[in-house]
Amino acid sequence: MTDSVNQQIVYLNGSYLPMMESQISTQDRGFLFGDGVYEVIPVYQGKLFRFDAHIQRLKNSLQATSITNPFNDSEWLEMLENLVAKHDWQDQYIYLQVTRGVQMQRDHLPADCLTPTIYAYTNPLKPVVDNIIQNGIKVVSLDDIRWLRCDIKATTLLPNVMMKLAAKSQGADDAILITREGNISEGTASNTFIVKDGNLITPPNSNEILPGITRMVIESIAAEHNIPMIEKNITLDDLNSADEIWLSSSTKEALPVTQLNGQAVGSGKPGALWLQMREHYQQHKQKFIESQL
Ligand code: PLP
């Protein structure tokens, strides 16, 4: 057991070893082509949150990219639980990556029968800082410059990195992305929600967004608490006139956006429905921690 980031233990291709000792081949297709997929899974008090949904999404990403799934579901769970147990942090988040593997001759066409490279490590999961809870975050809207398979959780994240940099250069914390058709897709690493006249609205799942697990959790909490929830396309005009805007992801849960393109969103403070959702979300996590699941 360790509690220092410097002594982090990682899983690489069948072994648990110190991060400083983990090495992969320069001919790994993940390194050369970004030819791989990944997952990020939150862990509350040692328990993997929504493991089934995360592993199903991983399987979908592997299948869509024709990368061999090296494990069955219980093998994935066992490996990840072992990794978590090697760290003392109460809450953690696992980063898990599978690449197509090592191919000595660089070729866009993958060779047959490659052995996937499996890498996982875990980090302490810290609560969102108070300043964000009190004041929210600033975003800008940017053209979504990504490809048409954003439903695959691919390691190839160069457009996301470029858009995050563009947001930062405009003094914002993040960006909300606008598709070529003029609809909101999502954030650079999150799904998007707006609140309008008491309705919670999010774009439908499609090839233009990642089917977020947190988005799914928020939907189920909304249903449980009779919060009207609609899946429909959101335009930039809708975004501009929203009462509230949220971004959701596994490590940040739902974050309130209080400034869009330099203008206040609603009152300029985190909104009433977000506060309510935050409360419900914490209760939902607590129930999960206490459950036998
Ligand atoms: N959309 C993108 C592009 C992401 O990278 C992420 C998470 O990293 C999400 C949405 C949110 O997904 P989840 O809630 O499963 O973390």
Side-chain angles (χ1 to χ4, degrees):
M1 295 282 262
T2 173
D3 59 4
S4 157
V5 176
N6 296 327
Q7 295 161 23
Q8 237 163 315
I9 301 295
V10 306
Y11 174 91
L12 180 63
N13 294 332
S15 305
Y16 297 92
L17 69 169
M19 185 183 266
M20 297 299 286
E21 291 171 24
S22 61
Q23 294 186 342
I24 60 156
S25 166
T26 53
Q27 298 312 108
D28 194 282
R29 292 184 62 93
F31 178 57
L32 293 177
F33 292 100
D35 189 356
V37 300
Y38 75 107
E39 273 301 319
V40 174
I41 309 173
V43 179
Y44 302 120
Q45 300 195 13
K47 295 172 72 173
L48 279 71
F49 185 61
R50 298 283 172 138
F51 168 77
D52 290 350
H54 281 282
I55 237 44
Q56 186 55 53
R57 188 171 64 185
L58 177 71
K59 288 193 283 190
N60 295 346
S61 297
L62 290 168
Q63 193 177 23
T65 51
S66 308
I67 297 175
T68 309
N69 182 357
F71 285 157
N72 65 34
D73 294 9
S74 51
E75 288 167 335
W76 278 122
L77 184 60
E78 190 185 343
M79 182 276 272
L80 296 173
E81 284 183 339
N82 284 341
L83 181 67
V84 165
K86 293 180 191 303
H87 300 85
D88 282 339
W89 308 306
Q90 173 155 312
D91 292 344
Q92 309 183 20
Y93 67 95
I94 297 166
Y95 177 87
L96 163 63
Q97 171 168 324
V98 184
T99 77
R100 200 180 301 276
V102 175
Q103 184 170 353
M104 293 323 268
Q105 198 60 44
R106 184 181 178 280
D107 189 341
H108 284 65
L109 185 66
D112 289 337
C113 306
L114 293 177
T115 305
T117 301
I118 312 164
Y119 176 60
Y121 74 106
T122 183
N123 298 278
L125 178 56
K126 307 252 170 68
V128 173
V129 294
D130 250 14
N131 185 33
I132 291 182
I133 305 296
Q134 301 303 325
N135 299 310
I137 60 166
K138 296 177 192 167
V139 307
V140 287
S141 56
L142 292 178
D143 287 342
D144 192 342
I145 59 171
R146 300 173 303 164
W147 66 337
L148 295 175
R149 288 308 305 270
C150 295
D151 53 319
I152 300 172
K153 201 162 168 65
T155 57
T156 329
L157 289 170
L158 190 54
N160 305 57
V161 171
M162 290 166 65
M163 293 184 297
K164 188 90 184 178
L165 277 173
K168 189 176 174 219
S169 75
Q170 295 181 39
D173 302 300
D174 211 333
I176 291 182
L177 311 177
I178 320 283
T179 66
R180 292 157 184 83
E181 297 79 42
N183 295 317
I184 303 310
S185 52
E186 55 186 344
T188 60
S190 54
N191 291 112
T192 306
F193 292 80
I194 64 168
V195 177
K196 187 68 187 170
D197 302 327
N199 291 309
L200 184 57
I201 308 170
T202 197
N205 276 334
S206 74
N207 60 316
E208 291 179 317
I209 70 168
L210 186 78
I213 310 301
T214 318
R215 173 186 178 280
M216 201 169 84
V217 173
I218 290 173
E219 282 199 339
S220 72
I221 292 175
E224 190 185 335
H225 295 275
N226 298 318
I227 297 169
M229 162 100 211
I230 307 167
E231 285 192 4
K232 69 178 179 85
N233 286 334
I234 299 170
T235 63
L236 187 54
D237 283 347
D238 297 331
L239 195 67
N240 282 325
S241 62
D243 301 325
E244 298 182 27
I245 302 176
W246 311 347
L247 294 180
S248 73
S249 70
S250 289
T251 51
K252 304 281 169 51
E253 303 168 3
L255 284 187
V257 174
T258 46
Q259 205 187 90
L260 170 69
N261 295 327
Q263 303 292 315
V265 176
S267 66
K269 285 279 175 190
L273 197 59
W274 176 78
L275 282 166
Q276 202 183 318
M277 180 55 73
R278 179 175 152 76
E279 192 71 28
H280 293 320
Y281 205 102
Q282 302 317 308
Q283 286 163 5
H284 183 85
K285 276 163 49 184
Q286 196 53 40
K287 267 195 216 155
F288 165 74
I289 291 164
E290 287 161 11
S291 74
Q292 300 307 310
L293 292 174

